[in-house]
Every structure is written in structure tokens, then in C-alpha cells.
Amino acid sequence: MEANIIYAIISILITASIFIIIKIVEFTKFRTLLGSGKATGVIFIIIAIAEVMYLAVTLKMLSPAIEVVTSLSAILLFFTFVYLNKLQNAISGMSIALGRRINVGSDIEFEGKHGKIIQIGLTKTMVELNDSRVMLIPNKKFDEEVSIISNSKIQKVST
């Protein structure tokens, strides 16, 4: 345990030295570069997180927690890939809900079909076509292919 404490102290001293060196370089070389303070701030945060994780592992403070977090991260990564399409549509749905370009009642054109939006959901938007059929459009399509017809003007919705 005593050796671990010595390693921890050495690690803190090295990290502090790196912080000082980065600050000196920023003040001497990058003082005229816009955004350099933000960049070094991000570098400091990354180094600080790495240092805290190193100390926690070295001093065996988080061994059980690290195992749990690692397992949960693997599960989260798996579900992210499995549900990637739904996540993209959900994020697009939130963007639609927060934006002002697309609303219930908007006239749209999608794949050569014209209709009116009757409901906006989290992952799909319901459109009543001119022939009274209902079509469900995945929300991410509004960033790719859907044209909104508003006041006789056509706006192509894209990012």
C-alpha cells in the first residue's frame, strides 16, 4: 500500500508539471490564437479525469465500481448499436418539436406524394395524403428528403 501512495504522489507531481507546461506554452506561443484557452481547458479536463481514474485504480478505491461501470458501458454500447435507427429518429423528432419549420398542419411533399402533417411523434410523423391515406414518415427523413410547402413556397428541409 505504501508503494501505491508513492506512485500516486509521483503521478500528481507529473500531472501538475504537465499543467504548468501547457499553461506556459499557451501564454507564450498561443496567446494570439483565438480559442486556445478553450482547447487547453478541454485538455486540462481530460488530464484531470485520467489522473483521478489512475489514482482511484492505483489506490484501489473504485475496483468494484469500475467493474460495474465497465459492464454497464458495454451493455449501453450494445443497445446503442441495436437501436441506432430509433435513436436517430428520436433525436430528429425532438429537433422537429423544438424547431419552427415543421408543424401539425404543414403541407409537405415526400417521394412524390403530397399531404398534410396530422401528428408528430417521437420517431415518426403521420401525414394524411391528398387521397385520404395515411403515411408514416421516419423523422430523420425530414432532414434528408422531405419538402415543406408553405404559403405556395417550397422549402427543402436539409441540414
Side-chain angles (χ1 to χ4, degrees):
M1 184 69 171
E2 191 173 306
N4 288 342
I5 293 174
I6 293 171
Y7 291 141
I9 292 170
I10 292 171
S11 176
I12 291 170
L13 291 174
I14 291 171
T15 301
S17 300
I18 291 171
F19 281 157
I20 292 168
I21 291 169
I22 290 172
K23 270 303 184 188
I24 291 170
V25 169
E26 179 187 359
F27 287 133
T28 58
K29 299 290 184 185
F30 298 135
R31 71 174 156 231
T32 60
L33 185 63
L34 284 174
S36 65
K38 291 178 184 176
T40 56
V42 170
I43 292 169
F44 283 165
I45 290 170
I46 292 170
I47 292 171
I49 290 171
E51 178 66 20
V52 168
M53 291 303 297
Y54 171 76
L55 292 174
V57 170
T58 301
L59 300 176
K60 298 186 188 315
M61 295 166 49
L62 296 177
S63 295
I66 289 175
E67 292 172 9
V68 171
V69 169
T70 303
S71 299
L72 291 176
S73 297
I75 292 169
L76 181 64
L77 186 64
F78 170 76
F79 281 112
T80 299
F81 284 117
V82 169
Y83 293 107
L84 182 62
N85 193 37
K86 291 224 183 269
L87 288 171
Q88 289 172 338
N89 281 313
I91 291 169
S92 294
M94 288 184 267
S95 174
I96 289 169
L98 294 173
R100 295 188 175 134
R101 298 180 297 175
I102 303 167
N103 297 304
V104 172
S106 294
D107 292 321
I108 67 163
E109 180 181 343
F110 178 69
E111 295 179 348
K113 299 174 184 155
H114 296 274
K116 186 176 293 248
I117 295 176
I118 57 175
Q119 182 181 15
I120 298 173
L122 184 62
T123 59
K124 291 184 173 82
T125 296
M126 191 179 301
V127 176
E128 183 177 8
L129 300 175
N130 290 342
D131 60 3
S132 297
R133 293 183 299 155
V134 175
M135 178 171 61
L136 295 173
I137 301 174
N139 285 337
K140 71 178 184 177
K141 294 293 184 183
F142 283 91
D143 290 333
E144 300 168 355
E145 303 172 26
V146 176
S147 296
I148 300 172
I149 303 170
S150 174
N151 298 327
S152 301
K153 295 179 185 175
I154 298 179
Q155 298 175 317
K156 191 73 169 178
V157 177
S158 62
T159 54

